Amino acid sequence: MLISENLHMLLSVLADGRFHSGTALAQLLNVSRSAVWKQLQSLAELGLEFNAVSGKGYKLEQPLQLLDQSQIEANLTPAARALLHQIEIHSVISSTNTYLLDLAKKTQVSGWVCLAEYQTAGKGRRGRTWVSPFGHNIYLSILWCYQDGPAAIAGLSLAVGVAVVRALQQMGVDDVGLKWPNDIYWKERKLAGILIEVSGESSGPCHAVIGLGMNLYLPPQQAEVIDQAWVDLQQILGEQVMLQRNLWVAALLNQLLPVIADFENQSLPEYLQEWRSFDCMLGKQVTIFIGQQRFDGVVKGIDDQGLLLLADATGQLRAFASGEVSFRTV
């Protein structure tokens, strides 16, 4: 769906989480009160819940901080700012990753950042949909051009995971873990996910789009479709998180941009020890699915190439380059 200018203005007013009368909203938008009601009805399509109380007016269930480029850039470090080419903020987009993959066909630029308030087709790993209610979470993708081909950036998702954990710790989140190959967990519940998509020549220049989805607040109704244990930052840090969204984006970019920019030069070994210190699967019973095949065992960490090491019931060690990993209740 498209967001009209009136609907965007309405959201900007209601973002404070306070009651606003129908009369005041109608005057602001220069429309009738029935037109205001019609606009409010469309909020449900964006995953937004609102309250209507006679004599008080309308308010959002949760206050929002809409994305603001100037606020984000004001909180960037000089190092991150130097690596940033451009920030694009979309009210509605199919997927921030898809947008930058299309852009990569037209440009060799690195440091292009795409953010969205709402994704109609947010992408998770293996074709899953990423739940993307309007204005609640962070949907962020970064485009970067690498000169030496996909092989030179093997393991990039592990380095990106380290960067995300650094940002979380800097913002006061403890007990963060990394689940191979690219999920960020908090006390065995998923907080964020990374999706890296690469296009270009096998032995020449290639583009990587590094996508990150992070839960700030997931409304219960929206979270019903999620089939795994999850958590959001509001549960961890409290309601103030929703009013710090631009600060969180800046904190992530401050860590992500230098890691992404330097990876081709530093490569995976620079991040392995730090990644291992956050490994939340080490010693856990897990199941790995590769296509129709299933492998059960105990995680023994990752090797120097970033492959997952799994010991089966006989103690035999096997390395996995990819696969869907599920914790197993014992």
Side-chain angles (χ1 to χ4, degrees):
M1 65 175 292
L2 296 175
I3 293 185
S4 67
E5 184 177 341
N6 274 355
L7 182 56
H8 196 277
M9 189 181 301
L10 181 65
L11 283 168
S12 298
V13 174
L14 295 176
D16 62 10
R18 299 173 183 171
F19 278 105
H20 296 268
S21 72
T23 300
L25 293 173
Q27 290 174 347
L28 175 70
L29 301 180
N30 195 28
V31 298
S32 66
R33 290 190 61 176
S34 62
V36 169
W37 177 250
K38 186 176 180 181
Q39 293 276 12
L40 288 166
Q41 294 303 299
S42 65
L43 295 182
E45 296 179 50
L46 298 173
L48 292 171
E49 300 173 359
F50 71 94
N51 294 325
V53 178
S54 179
K56 288 188 174 182
Y58 309 101
K59 69 183 288 289
L60 290 179
E61 188 74 27
Q62 287 283 334
L64 304 176
Q65 184 180 76
L66 300 180
L67 295 170
D68 184 283
Q69 182 173 343
S70 61
Q71 288 188 41
I72 294 168
E73 292 182 350
N75 286 286
L76 292 179
T77 63
R81 197 175 295 114
L83 295 168
L84 177 68
H85 173 73
Q86 183 172 334
I87 293 179
E88 281 192 40
I89 296 174
H90 296 260
S91 293
V92 178
I93 200 170
S94 63
S95 155
T96 56
N97 260 37
T98 298
Y99 178 82
L100 289 185
L101 283 170
D102 290 340
L103 185 66
K105 300 171 184 176
K106 309 168 189 174
T107 181
Q108 296 295 314
V109 168
S110 293
W112 204 304
V113 173
C114 179
L115 290 153
E117 298 286 6
Y118 177 72
Q119 296 183 118
T120 59
K123 299 196 303 190
R125 291 190 72 232
R126 301 187 178 275
R128 289 193 178 94
T129 298
W130 189 269
V131 177
S132 307
F134 186 97
H136 285 75
N137 303 311
I138 293 174
Y139 321 119
L140 161 69
S141 295
I142 301 170
L143 173 63
W144 205 269
C145 181
Y146 293 98
Q147 296 304 313
D148 296 330
I153 56 172
L156 176 60
S157 66
L158 301 184
V160 169
V162 168
V164 173
V165 172
R166 289 174 180 173
L168 286 165
Q169 290 184 329
Q170 183 183 38
M171 294 292 285
V173 182
D174 299 319
D175 301 316
V176 185
L178 289 170
K179 175 176 174 276
W180 184 91
N182 49 15
D183 286 338
I184 292 86
Y185 269 53
W186 183 80
K187 296 185 177 180
E188 299 192 0
R189 290 184 284 168
K190 186 171 179 177
L191 174 62
I194 298 161
L195 176 65
I196 297 180
E197 298 180 274
V198 180
S199 62
E201 301 177 26
S202 59
S203 58
C206 69
H207 285 94
V209 174
I210 300 96
L212 173 70
M214 179 174 288
N215 301 330
L216 266 65
Y217 170 70
L218 277 176
Q221 186 175 356
Q222 298 290 313
E224 286 178 357
V225 300
I226 301 175
D227 61 357
Q228 59 183 303
W230 62 270
V231 69
D232 57 39
L233 286 172
Q234 181 161 304
Q235 294 178 50
I236 301 170
L237 296 176
E239 292 184 358
Q240 75 275 9
V241 164
M242 286 296 287
L243 300 178
Q244 298 173 337
R245 194 154 158 254
N246 290 298
L247 183 61
W248 274 98
V249 171
L252 288 164
L253 291 176
N254 284 337
Q255 298 296 334
L256 287 168
L257 286 169
V259 167
I260 292 168
D262 292 344
F263 187 79
E264 201 168 30
N265 299 320
Q266 292 192 344
S267 72
L268 183 60
E270 300 292 329
Y271 301 96
L272 283 176
Q273 184 174 350
E274 193 170 355
W275 195 98
R276 286 170 175 144
S277 71
F278 301 128
D279 187 352
C280 66
M281 291 197 304
L282 185 64
K284 298 286 179 67
Q285 293 273 355
V286 302
T287 299
I288 297 178
F289 297 94
I290 301 178
Q292 299 300 313
Q293 292 183 293
R294 169 179 174 152
F295 304 89
D296 296 320
V298 177
V299 173
K300 297 297 182 180
I302 58 173
D303 67 12
D304 290 342
Q305 284 71 50
L307 305 184
L308 183 70
L309 299 174
L310 188 73
D312 64 18
T314 68
Q316 182 178 355
L317 204 61
R318 181 167 182 168
F320 291 85
S322 64
E324 188 70 19
V325 182
S326 301
F327 287 105
R328 196 145 49 90
T329 303
V330 180

